[in-house]
Amino acid sequence: MSFIRPKLWEIPQPNEVILKSVECLRETLFERLREISSRHTQIKFANSLAVEDMVITDAIVQSGVDIEIFTLETGKLNNETLALTDEIRRFYPDLTLQFYYPERESAEQYQQDFGKYAFYDSVELRRKCCFIRKIEPLNRALKGADAWLTGQRREQSVTRTELQFHEYDTSRQMDKYNPIFDWSEQDVWAYILKYGIPYNALYKQGFPSIGCEPCTRPVKAEEDIRAGRWWWENKDSKECGLHK
């Protein structure tokens, strides 16, 4: 009996109309970044290494705004994701990409108390792992900042449909901006492909949304683009807590 592999998600190929609109989108993004920069003195951008965040990284570099870029190295990232950080250094030789890591003792204690794969057992334990590997390092990364940026988009998830350009992060007592909140998936890929921006090789393997290696899998062509994130959970719980 032969096994037929399901068709996986593929990188969107933007049509001519969208490709022609990219320059306008880019200019609008530059304007948004300049507007944010004019409002604040110390801004930080959390680059998750997703294509959305690569768009914003490129815009920060090309527009010349003074925004610090950092990424959270959770200790559970795919090799392809780690390889992208080397490619970023080559592509943007003048860019300093800061790395923040989980506290070693906390990560080891979690594994000792609950087990190496405890995040599969319950939403509570998964979020506890996310706190140790993502939220606590993010809080450290944002110390001293008066605003931060994300690559979130409304289209990405049922939990993000009301997303706005500007929010107030009450838990961290600072302003928060989502510069491409209103972009479509096609818009993002049109920018990436038109300007030759580096991106994670996993996108070519059916991964439209990429997180930690144990918590991410490829998705079928007809599935939601976030279906591969924490796939064992209800879709309404699929957030790590970074954006509460």
Side-chain angles (χ1 to χ4, degrees):
M1 182 177 178
S2 60
F3 175 73
I4 301 175
R5 290 187 177 183
K7 182 176 174 59
L8 297 179
W9 173 91
E10 294 180 348
I11 293 172
Q13 297 304 308
N15 59 43
E16 286 301 314
V17 174
I18 290 180
L19 285 170
K20 287 179 180 178
S21 71
V22 173
E23 288 187 19
C24 182
L25 283 170
R26 192 186 200 210
E27 273 308 310
T28 299
L29 178 54
F30 285 7
E31 289 172 10
R32 288 175 177 177
L33 293 176
R34 293 184 187 113
E35 178 187 347
I36 296 166
S37 294
S38 70
R39 296 180 182 179
H40 302 280
T41 58
Q42 189 168 6
I43 310 160
K44 298 187 178 184
F45 170 47
N47 183 344
S48 70
L49 304 173
V51 280
E52 288 84 1
D53 292 13
M54 292 308 302
V55 165
I56 297 174
T57 294
D58 184 75
I60 288 172
V61 172
Q62 303 304 334
S63 65
V65 293
D66 185 16
I67 296 177
E68 179 183 316
I69 303 175
F70 68 88
T71 193
L72 305 178
E73 211 290 56
T74 66
K76 296 286 187 180
L77 300 180
N78 292 276
N79 290 333
E80 291 87 347
T81 304
L82 295 173
L84 176 60
T85 64
D86 294 329
E87 196 171 351
I88 291 171
R89 292 189 186 96
R90 291 192 294 270
F91 198 82
Y92 304 107
D94 297 326
L95 172 65
T96 300
L97 181 64
Q98 301 284 350
F99 288 82
Y100 287 84
Y101 302 84
E103 292 182 339
R104 182 176 176 182
E105 288 185 6
S106 296
E108 290 178 348
Q109 190 65 50
Y110 174 92
Q111 186 168 316
Q112 181 178 324
D113 290 345
F114 307 109
K116 187 174 182 179
Y117 300 106
F119 40 82
Y120 291 132
D121 295 338
S122 70
V123 173
E124 180 183 4
L125 286 175
R126 194 270 293 168
R127 286 181 173 164
K128 187 175 183 67
C129 183
C130 287
F131 180 87
I132 292 169
R133 295 187 178 277
K134 298 175 77 172
I135 299 172
E136 190 281 327
L138 174 69
N139 293 340
R140 271 189 281 120
L142 292 177
K143 281 186 178 178
D146 60 347
W148 69 295
L149 275 60
T150 86
Q152 292 186 104
R153 295 185 298 108
R154 286 176 176 170
E155 267 193 3
Q156 287 174 320
S157 169
V158 294
T159 62
R160 300 179 181 179
T161 55
E162 301 300 319
L163 194 69
Q164 300 296 317
F165 167 62
H166 172 248
E167 302 174 278
Y168 188 72
D169 186 338
T170 55
S171 65
R172 299 179 182 89
Q173 299 291 294
M174 70 175 70
D175 290 285
K176 177 182 176 183
Y177 296 89
N178 309 297
I180 60 170
F181 74 105
D182 53 353
W183 283 35
S184 69
E185 185 184 29
Q186 288 259 339
D187 293 335
V188 171
W189 281 103
Y191 189 112
I192 292 289
L193 298 173
K194 181 176 177 66
Y195 298 111
I197 310 304
Y199 61 88
N200 196 320
L202 289 174
Y203 285 105
K204 295 180 178 179
Q205 300 174 37
F207 290 75
S209 181
I210 304 164
C212 290
E213 188 276 331
C215 301
T216 310
R217 69 176 185 181
V219 306
K220 297 174 185 176
E222 69 277 7
E223 287 184 296
D224 181 88
I225 60 171
R226 297 266 296 179
R229 301 291 296 276
W230 307 298
W231 67 89
W232 63 94
E233 293 181 9
N234 182 285
K235 65 180 181 180
D236 295 330
S237 69
K238 292 187 176 187
E239 293 287 357
C240 62
L242 286 179
H243 302 295
K244 279 191 174 183

